[in-house]
């Protein structure tokens, strides 16, 4: 009985893994991706910084490092431009990435008096 419980617990833990970043490029102008019932424009980091607050965007690139113990990370696209992204635990979708993993993030531009960042809704693998 105990053995079955341990096996079931291990299977559940694996199935509900949160994913995340482990470890210390590119976008096309005019490209759109379908995400659920919505279409999101793929933009560069430079373009994202110039968009209005709450604009829905998709960025393609790499997370280079975690910025603090919160949910902030440094994201870099293929041009080398960087922006802070805010990724909650449930937005990783079980994906585990390193600085070399190319990903697609879907979210909104978040502008305030301090600066611009992306509030991420989902982290997706680039295929």
């Amino acid at each position: 009985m105990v053995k079955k419980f341990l096996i079931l617990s291990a299977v559940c833990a694996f199935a509900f893994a949160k994913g995340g970043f482990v470890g210390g490029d590119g976008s096309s102008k005019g490209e759109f991706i379908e995400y659920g019932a919505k279409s999101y424009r793929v933009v560069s980091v430079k373009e994202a910084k110039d968009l209005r607050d709450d604009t829905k965007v998709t960025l393609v690139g790499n997370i280079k490092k975690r910025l603090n113990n919160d949910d902030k990370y440094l994201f870099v696209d293929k041009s080398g431009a960087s922006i802070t992204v805010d990724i909650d635990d449930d937005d990783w979708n079980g994906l585990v990435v390193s600085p070399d993993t190319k990903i697609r993030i879907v979210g909104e531009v978040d502008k305030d008096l301090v600066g611009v960042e992306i509030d991420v809704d989902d982290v997706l693998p680039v295929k």
Side-chain angles (χ1 to χ4, degrees):
M1 181 69 173
V2 173
K3 186 175 181 181
K4 288 182 184 179
F5 176 75
L6 291 174
I7 291 172
L8 181 59
S9 296
V11 169
C12 288
F14 180 74
F16 295 106
K18 288 185 180 181
F21 178 72
V22 293
D25 325 75
S27 62
S28 300
K29 198 169 191 172
E31 180 184 354
F32 288 81
I33 66 156
E34 297 299 319
Y35 179 73
K38 299 178 182 177
S39 181
Y40 289 76
R41 181 173 167 217
V42 177
V43 298
S44 68
V45 166
K46 183 179 181 307
E47 289 174 302
K49 289 180 177 180
D50 294 332
L51 293 172
R52 289 190 339 235
D53 189 38
D54 296 325
T55 301
K56 306 283 187 188
V57 295
T58 297
L59 298 169
V60 177
N62 306 76
I63 293 177
K64 291 300 181 183
K65 66 180 180 177
R66 187 175 199 151
L67 297 176
N68 57 27
N69 288 332
D70 198 15
D71 298 328
K72 310 277 187 183
Y73 301 87
L74 182 67
F75 181 88
V76 179
D77 69 10
K78 74 177 177 182
S79 74
S82 63
I83 193 167
T84 299
V85 294
D86 186 348
I87 307 174
D88 295 328
D89 290 341
D90 58 337
D91 297 332
W92 289 102
N93 297 310
L95 189 64
V96 176
V97 303
S98 73
D100 298 322
T101 307
K102 193 171 185 180
I103 59 168
R104 181 181 316 269
I105 58 172
V106 178
E108 299 88 32
V109 175
D110 185 14
K111 283 190 173 184
D112 58 26
L113 296 175
V114 178
V116 181
E117 65 181 39
I118 304 298
D119 185 15
V120 177
D121 294 325
D122 280 301
V123 178
L124 306 166
V126 172
K127 298 176 183 176

